[in-house]
Amino acid sequence: MNRYSAWAVFKNGLSGHRGWTRQWRDPEPKKAYDIVIVGAGLHGLATAYYLAKNHGLRNIAVLEKGWLGGGNAGRNTTIVRSNYMMPGNREFYEHSLKLWENLSHDLNYNVMFSQRYHVTLLHSPAARDAAARRYNTMRLTGSDGELWDLATLKAEIPHLNYNNARFPITGAAVQKRAGNARHDAIAWGYARAADSLGVDIIQNCEVTGVTRNGGEVSALETSRGTIAAKKVGFAVAGNSSRLWQMAGLGRLPIESHKLQAFVSEPLKPLLDHVVVFGVGGAHFYISQSDKGGMVFGGDLDWYKSYAQRGNLPMVQDVAECATSIMPCLGRVRLLRHWAGVMDMSMDGSPFICKTSLKNLYLNAGWNYGGFKASPASGWYFADLIANDRPDPVIENHDLERFRRGVNIDERGAGPDPKLHG
Amino acid sequence: MIIINCPFCGPRDHSEFGYGGDASIDYPALDAPMDEWHDAIFLRENICGMQAETWHHVNGCRMWLIVERDTMTHEIKSVRPAHGGNAAVLENVAEGGES
């Protein structure tokens, strides 16, 4: 593997940049591995990387039915933040944000992580009180967060709708260490780093069956032959239920829903921050990419779906949100929009856990929040697989928590998956 | 847009409807063991393919419907009233009786 550096760019420049090699291998699958991770999305790749790096394990494969990072890794709005409050989530997402802060150096790959502030608009005294509670909890647990009054917000972002909004903006809750990153770079960075530690990343390899030997998984049937495994990890959010049923394990506390995202034509620099708007049924988040496109999204399409395509009522809904907080976007044209399939869980929080099969581990239920979570998800999932016990941070991220009466429900929306946006 | 053929109102855009969820779930008796309630409340088949689900014609006749819909193609196979009493009324109307 070429190590990337300014010196490497200079040196390869002398030879016409013909010295660069491919970033990861394209190996044939072996007959057997110690650990097989299903799903080469951000979570699967991060898991393989931390298994190799943190736990010194080798002989690992990551199976991917399509191409690397072609699922939800490429279908998100790239927002990274840790403004979660519930025990379990608070430590988990803070750890993830800390990993993000050093990820480019760790992977020797520029993931373009930009700590450009995550600005949640507030519209009422009650919303301000709720935000104060949440952001104070964050500050008391080693994170950052602050409340902005209207004058501060106006100075920072002068072109929001301060004049005639249906719900007047009264201030904002801000996490300055939050921001966004380049989604493809994360997938490629993790893939390259894992590959350099000997992980086999096997693309176009769809799992079609799970062979069980009593209470264990013995092998995976794939479109590229049978692959035996001592330990298996599922990281296929969106399709977790399908794989779960292939393993004969029945039902999960998950429904698959689709979420759309949008990008506009490129504009000159307009918005420096990630801005979030949610009041009176609206739900909207927007930032500007380095190429200039306005990247934004809103609610789910509201009905269960495995189709990676969105429906038009939500396009209208999101466009209305956009023009209600940034009327200056009124004549901007939409360039693309797409939909990804989400594992929506019963309390809006994920699962990283052991299962009823001895050597099978589950990573699922990421709802809207999988992108920001991917480093910590890989970190704790790798730790779980390597040591066969959950770290205390994820001790309630198991499938049995509802039976114990534990809900990690940030929104307080109850057991209706579509409401956990 | 998905077009749902409401038995009371005729074909309407899905944006007139609220989505309920999996219609195959039967809630257990109130005094049933906790495990049965856990399963009914928290666990889902999450079918990829044809599934029965509830929709509420909230911006129309406000009736709850049971819709058989493919969760991959969004094709609708059947729509019927969720409550038997309503089904009987419809049948009566179809036969030219008093509604």
Side-chain angles (χ1 to χ4, degrees):
Chain A
M1 181 184 88
N2 293 98
R3 192 169 168 79
Y4 296 152
S5 64
W7 167 244
V9 171
F10 174 76
K11 196 176 68 175
N12 278 285
L14 297 178
S15 58
H17 287 293
R18 283 186 295 272
W20 300 106
T21 55
R22 61 181 299 158
Q23 296 190 11
W24 55 85
R25 297 164 297 128
D26 186 22
E28 282 298 311
K30 290 193 278 188
K31 292 272 179 242
Y33 289 93
D34 289 345
I35 301 172
V36 173
I37 306 295
V38 183
L42 301 179
H43 295 246
L45 292 167
T47 303
Y49 171 65
Y50 292 119
L51 276 168
K53 182 187 173 231
N54 292 357
H55 305 283
L57 298 169
R58 297 294 184 267
N59 201 19
I60 301 164
V62 186
L63 310 185
E64 169 56 48
K65 74 172 173 185
W67 65 93
L68 184 157
N72 291 339
R75 293 168 181 269
N76 54 70
T77 44
T78 75
I79 296 169
V80 177
R81 58 185 171 86
S82 77
N83 57 349
Y84 288 73
M85 184 174 72
M86 303 296 288
N89 278 352
R90 182 75 274 283
E91 307 90 308
F92 179 88
Y93 287 101
E94 189 57 32
H95 183 61
S96 206
L97 183 53
K98 289 199 171 92
L99 290 173
W100 276 105
E101 288 177 320
N102 195 41
L103 201 56
S104 291
H105 289 118
D106 188 30
L107 299 177
N108 181 230
Y109 207 94
N110 184 5
V111 301
M112 298 167 76
F113 180 45
S114 163
Q115 294 178 296
R116 59 178 63 186
Y117 302 6
H118 181 273
V119 180
T120 305
L121 303 180
L122 304 174
H123 305 267
S124 67
R128 193 174 185 82
D129 288 348
R133 179 182 176 222
R134 175 176 296 267
Y135 281 64
N136 280 332
T137 304
M138 288 154 59
R139 293 172 66 142
L140 288 168
T141 50
S143 190
D144 69 311
E146 55 190 69
L147 296 182
W148 284 357
D149 60 16
L150 189 56
T152 310
L153 179 62
K154 276 183 173 171
E156 285 281 344
I157 314 177
H159 45 290
L160 299 178
N161 186 2
Y162 296 109
N163 300 320
N164 58 350
R166 169 70 181 80
F167 297 99
I169 299 167
T170 58
V174 180
Q175 188 177 30
K176 288 186 168 177
R177 287 161 62 232
N180 56 12
R182 167 93 176 113
H183 57 276
D184 286 330
I186 322 302
W188 299 335
Y190 270 124
R192 173 171 167 273
D195 178 87
S196 75
L197 293 172
V199 173
D200 281 359
I201 298 162
I202 300 161
Q203 301 177 71
N204 299 309
C205 182
E206 182 175 3
V207 171
T208 54
V210 179
T211 308
R212 277 172 58 174
N213 178 11
E216 289 187 31
V217 175
S218 54
L220 298 169
E221 302 302 325
T222 78
S223 55
R224 297 178 68 174
T226 302
I227 299 174
K230 289 184 188 154
K231 289 182 175 181
V232 175
F234 288 169
V236 294
N239 287 295
S240 298
S241 297
R242 298 170 78 182
L243 204 53
W244 194 247
Q245 281 156 18
M246 258 183 223
L249 292 169
R251 297 181 291 174
L252 280 176
I254 287 173
E255 279 185 9
S256 295
H257 285 260
K258 64 187 153 84
L259 175 64
Q260 300 192 54
F262 307 82
V263 63
S264 77
E265 60 188 332
L267 308 174
K268 288 187 175 179
L270 172 67
L271 187 62
D272 294 335
H273 314 305
V274 177
V275 174
V276 179
F277 163 59
V279 68
H283 184 196
F284 181 72
Y285 33 94
I286 186 166
S287 63
Q288 188 169 21
S289 80
D290 291 348
K291 281 192 286 190
M294 305 305 293
V295 181
F296 52 95
D299 275 317
L300 295 168
D301 272 22
W302 295 124
Y303 54 86
K304 225 196 83 177
S305 174
Y306 280 95
Q308 287 177 314
R309 59 178 194 278
N311 217 323
L312 290 171
M314 196 46 66
V315 178
Q316 178 177 2
D317 189 75
V318 168
E320 283 170 357
C321 286
T323 49
S324 73
I325 67 156
M326 291 183 70
C328 59
L329 295 177
R331 285 172 181 270
V332 173
R333 282 170 297 185
L334 204 57
L335 192 65
R336 291 184 290 127
H337 64 117
W338 61 92
V341 182
M342 314 283 127
D343 271 7
M344 298 302 292
S345 73
M346 286 294 167
D347 60 356
S349 289
F351 307 102
I352 307 177
C353 58
K354 299 173 71 163
T355 69
S356 58
L357 301 184
K358 200 170 145 245
N359 62 342
L360 177 67
Y361 304 86
L362 180 68
N363 178 317
W366 288 102
N367 296 270
Y368 277 36
F371 182 79
K372 74 179 84 67
S374 45
S377 167
W379 180 283
Y380 288 114
F381 196 39
D383 178 70
L384 174 75
I385 294 170
N387 296 315
D388 196 39
R389 55 102 192 91
D391 185 278
V393 167
I394 56 162
E395 65 185 356
N396 280 323
H397 285 68
D398 63 336
L399 291 167
E400 297 299 313
R401 66 173 174 261
F402 306 117
R403 233 180 265 282
R404 296 194 302 273
V406 175
N407 282 266
I408 313 175
D409 189 343
E410 292 281 336
R411 289 191 83 184
D416 189 345
K418 65 181 180 290
L419 300 182
H420 293 291
Chain B
M1 193 76 79
I2 300 174
I3 308 292
I4 297 175
N5 192 5
C6 174
F8 303 96
C9 312
R12 297 298 179 92
D13 290 348
H14 84 264
S15 53
E16 285 186 13
F17 294 79
Y19 184 66
D22 191 333
S24 70
I25 296 164
D26 280 329
Y27 288 119
L30 284 176
D31 57 354
M34 192 69 89
D35 277 350
E36 283 182 37
W37 273 100
H38 167 272
D39 293 358
I41 298 289
F42 292 107
L43 299 185
R44 296 288 181 272
E45 290 284 340
N46 200 15
I47 294 166
C48 179
M50 202 60 80
Q51 83 156 12
E53 53 194 24
T54 53
W55 289 74
H56 185 202
H57 199 179
V58 63
N59 293 314
C61 61
R62 301 189 62 80
M63 288 299 185
W64 279 94
L65 309 174
I66 293 179
V67 177
E68 278 186 289
R69 185 182 65 98
D70 192 307
T71 58
M72 181 59 104
T73 65
H74 302 161
E75 175 202 1
I76 290 178
K77 191 173 148 198
S78 72
V79 185
R80 60 190 153 88
H83 304 290
N86 295 328
V89 169
L90 273 184
E91 231 165 76
N92 200 13
V93 170
E95 285 163 11
E98 299 260 323
S99 52

